Amino acid sequence: MLKITPYLGIFVVIVSIVGLWYPILGYMMPLVILILMVTSVSKGRWFCGNLCPRGSFIDFWVGKATLKKKIPGFLKSFWIRIPVFLMLMGFMTYRIINVINTQGIINQIGMIFVVMCLVTTAIALVLGVGISPRTWCTFCPMGTAQNLIGGKKYQLKVIDSKCIDCNKCEKVCPMQLDVHTGELKPDCIKCERCVDVCPTKALEFKA
């Protein structure tokens, strides 16, 4: 992960709380969406593990109070993820259409983004404490979009001749993936914690 990653969580707090008084802060959300969509083309979910403010918040803030349970497998299913994506995107689009041609449209649209950020962060917080920090990330609409756009890019590679099956990589994986199996991992967030903890340097990322 990047050196700034642990500190980015403050932005989601600012948008979710301060944004209620200053809706213009809500426009950070579409900026974030734009950046993650651009990076997903070549690096999949790299943004999630390195630049996502909510990811930083739940990893380094919520992670201190989590029960650290196994993330339910059904939450990773596209039967859950696609409906959640369509529901949230549809609701946001509907609300924006309703405020077009009204007074104070800039602030009204900003508030829509703020409320979306607040609601999704609240869900992430509850799931993060009650199950595991990255539970929300398993079915996050933006994470799902990145998975579909570039999930096969910048994959984690396992050097079998060096792997000693110590499972240290899987213990530190925030997404609870089967790290050292060598299978395609479109939901890997490229945080590189597995790479850092591997005692034999058997893991590396390649485009």
Side-chain angles (χ1 to χ4, degrees):
M1 72 183 74
L2 304 178
K3 291 183 178 180
I4 62 171
T5 303
Y7 308 103
L8 296 176
I10 188 64
F11 290 106
V12 79
V13 175
I14 291 173
V15 173
S16 299
I17 299 177
V18 181
L20 295 173
W21 286 272
Y22 299 97
I24 198 70
L25 292 173
Y27 286 94
M28 286 184 65
M29 279 195 69
L31 176 61
V32 165
I33 292 173
L34 175 62
I35 295 173
L36 69 84
M37 286 301 181
V38 171
T39 58
S40 67
V41 175
S42 60
K43 290 195 172 183
R45 295 193 64 173
W46 177 87
F47 181 92
C48 297
N50 294 275
L51 292 177
C52 179
R54 182 179 291 116
S56 173
F57 173 70
I58 57 181
D59 265 349
F60 300 100
W61 299 27
V62 179
K64 299 181 183 300
T66 183
L67 295 180
K68 295 183 179 180
K69 295 181 179 180
K70 184 73 175 177
I71 299 175
F74 74 90
L75 292 179
K76 302 177 183 180
S77 168
F78 277 92
W79 291 104
I80 296 293
R81 298 165 69 166
I82 296 300
V84 169
F85 177 86
L86 294 175
M87 180 180 67
L88 289 180
M89 294 302 101
F91 177 75
M92 184 172 65
T93 302
Y94 171 76
R95 292 288 297 119
I96 291 175
I97 290 175
N98 278 347
V99 300
I100 292 177
N101 297 324
T102 61
Q103 291 186 343
I105 183 174
I106 300 299
N107 279 340
Q108 289 193 57
I109 292 178
M111 183 57 73
I112 292 172
F113 290 134
V114 168
V115 171
M116 289 290 290
C117 183
L118 178 59
V119 170
T120 52
T121 299
I123 295 173
L125 177 60
V126 171
L127 294 176
V129 172
I131 302 178
S132 180
R134 287 278 180 168
T135 303
W136 162 260
C137 301
T138 60
F139 62 97
C140 167
M142 293 300 99
T144 297
Q146 291 174 87
N147 176 314
L148 294 173
I149 294 172
K152 296 181 180 180
K153 302 293 182 64
Y154 199 57
Q155 280 290 304
L156 179 66
K157 304 296 182 182
V158 181
I159 304 174
D160 293 329
S161 60
K162 292 184 177 182
C163 181
I164 58 175
D165 294 320
C166 64
N167 292 324
K168 289 184 177 181
C169 53
E170 295 185 359
K171 291 178 181 178
V172 299
C173 178
M175 296 296 286
Q176 299 184 5
L177 302 176
D178 295 326
V179 179
H180 75 301
T181 60
E183 298 177 355
L184 189 67
K185 304 171 185 65
D187 278 318
C188 171
I189 59 175
K190 284 77 175 178
C191 62
E192 298 191 8
R193 297 180 201 183
C194 57
V195 175
D196 293 337
V197 78
C198 181
T200 61
K201 307 302 179 184
L203 301 171
E204 60 181 0
F205 283 96
K206 288 188 176 181

